[in-house]
Amino acid sequence: MWRNCPRLRHWGRRLLNWSPGGPTTSVGPGPNTLSPSRDYAPPAERKRFYQNVSITQGEGGFEINLDHRKLKTPQAKLFTVPSEALAVAVATEWDSQQDTIKFYTMHLTTLCNTSLDNPTQRNKDQLIRAAVKFLDTDTICYRVEEPQTLVELQKNEWDPIIDWTEKRYGVEIGSSTSIMGPSIPARTREVLFSHLASYNMWALQGIEFVVAQLKSMVLALGLMDLRLTVEQAVLLSRLEEEYQIQKWGNVEWAHDYELQELRARTAAGTLFVHLCSESSTLKHKLLQE
């Protein structure tokens, strides 16, 4: 069953924008030994070597084809994803590349490679612990004592999402001005661990990715539950930085680039989680719209 790239573009672009994230061998982002939470880092750019992108349904799921070559992971495994919606989104990443393949723009492909190869060999419990551990250093739980304008800004912008999370999951999180951060009760960790355990391994890879981008477990939960949009979550994660920018100004193009890159990564990770965990009925609905 083939899907030619012109037919993928409309579906794929809707999916990527949806919100309430040698040619015959392995093609894609290569290994990254710098950080265990970033299993694959994009290599240098590469000249585009294919004309057409399509997807095929195989026994193990949906495969990506570059012309008549099957895409493989950095560990030379067949690149196979569990849903057609995710395959469409990944194929759109490859189809959107121009004369040069810019791997650093292909966040969905990177997340799929990580899920398929699991280079750090972590199991489900280890992935969940890595995500929950961010509670100890959660961005929105650390507060300043001065200046007063920033104190009030943090309270007005961050407190509502913490309050929502506590009510939504029946837990206690709180905030602190101490360098040690708030004391997170053991029960809070247990409840959130149990909640994350309801996700499959692929979705958990995406959740940990989003948590790491935002440096916040609380904001990631808001995204997964559709309480926050990507733009809102990113702005909240950069609240102090945005405050400083308003006060002192931008550093030429650097701040804008960082903001757009963070939005892109967070959007891709969020989309990845939903495409890996949603029901087949919802996936069918999205593809038909």
Side-chain angles (χ1 to χ4, degrees):
M1 180 179 67
W2 291 82
R3 302 287 192 276
N4 293 324
C5 62
R7 298 174 60 187
L8 294 174
R9 288 174 179 165
H10 174 67
W11 287 351
R13 284 169 183 157
R14 285 185 62 84
L15 287 167
L16 288 173
N17 292 322
W18 173 66
S19 69
T24 59
T25 57
S26 176
V27 179
N32 172 18
T33 59
L34 298 178
S35 171
S37 63
R38 297 284 74 76
D39 297 329
Y40 286 106
E45 296 180 355
R46 176 178 181 177
K47 183 177 179 180
R48 177 164 173 161
F49 57 87
Y50 55 91
Q51 295 295 321
N52 301 306
V53 183
S54 61
I55 61 176
T56 309
Q57 185 172 11
E59 293 183 1
F62 293 87
E63 303 162 4
I64 309 298
N65 306 287
L66 307 179
D67 293 331
H68 298 294
R69 303 178 181 90
K70 292 186 180 299
L71 183 63
K72 294 184 179 180
T73 71
Q75 292 186 10
K77 296 178 182 177
L78 182 63
F79 190 102
T80 306
V81 300
S83 75
E84 183 176 18
L86 181 56
V88 168
V90 171
T92 301
E93 282 190 331
W94 286 89
D95 185 44
S96 66
Q97 302 303 304
Q98 302 301 313
D99 294 336
T100 300
I101 305 173
K102 298 180 178 179
F103 292 108
Y104 52 83
T105 68
M106 304 170 74
H107 306 306
L108 292 174
T109 298
T110 300
L111 284 166
C112 289
N113 281 331
T114 300
S115 297
L116 288 165
D117 285 348
N118 190 17
T120 56
Q121 297 299 304
R122 290 183 296 174
N123 58 33
K124 188 171 184 177
D125 283 359
Q126 290 171 321
L127 278 175
I128 296 173
R129 289 194 188 97
V132 173
K133 186 173 178 58
F134 269 86
L135 282 173
D136 295 328
T137 56
D138 199 292
T139 295
I140 72 173
C141 293
Y142 278 80
R143 305 298 174 86
V144 299
E145 295 182 286
E146 58 180 354
Q148 189 59 34
T149 51
L150 181 54
V151 171
E152 293 176 358
L153 183 63
Q154 291 180 335
K155 178 178 177 61
N156 293 337
E157 298 295 332
W158 285 348
D159 280 3
I161 187 61
I162 290 180
D163 292 343
W164 172 84
T165 304
E166 291 179 333
K167 293 176 182 177
R168 165 70 174 82
Y169 296 99
V171 297
E172 179 183 347
I173 297 175
S175 62
S176 174
T177 58
S178 168
I179 193 173
M180 301 301 293
S183 177
I184 306 296
R187 181 181 176 280
T188 296
R189 300 178 191 277
E190 293 169 1
V191 169
L192 295 182
F193 189 101
S194 178
H195 171 69
L196 292 180
S198 66
Y199 288 90
N200 59 49
M201 281 285 290
W202 281 63
L204 285 171
Q205 293 282 4
I207 290 173
E208 189 201 7
F209 179 79
V210 172
V211 170
Q213 301 310 306
L214 300 174
K215 297 180 176 61
S216 172
M217 179 67 182
V218 177
L219 292 178
L221 289 172
L223 268 178
M224 299 310 120
D225 282 353
L226 309 184
R227 169 62 175 76
L228 297 171
T229 65
V230 169
E231 290 76 13
Q232 290 171 333
V234 168
L235 182 58
L236 289 171
S237 75
R238 288 168 48 93
L239 192 64
E240 186 170 353
E241 184 174 358
E242 292 298 323
Y243 172 85
Q244 297 297 340
I245 289 174
Q246 290 296 319
K247 185 175 181 179
W248 303 108
N250 265 319
V251 177
E252 292 297 330
W253 53 267
H255 285 131
D256 288 339
Y257 175 82
E258 292 172 0
L259 175 61
Q260 295 304 321
E261 178 64 14
L262 180 56
R263 282 179 178 170
R265 287 177 172 273
T266 304
T270 304
L271 177 61
F272 183 82
V273 173
H274 286 295
L275 294 183
C276 291
S277 58
E278 66 192 2
S279 68
S280 58
T281 300
L282 180 54
K283 283 186 289 190
H284 178 75
K285 180 178 183 297
L286 286 170
L287 289 170
Q288 293 300 316
E289 288 182 350

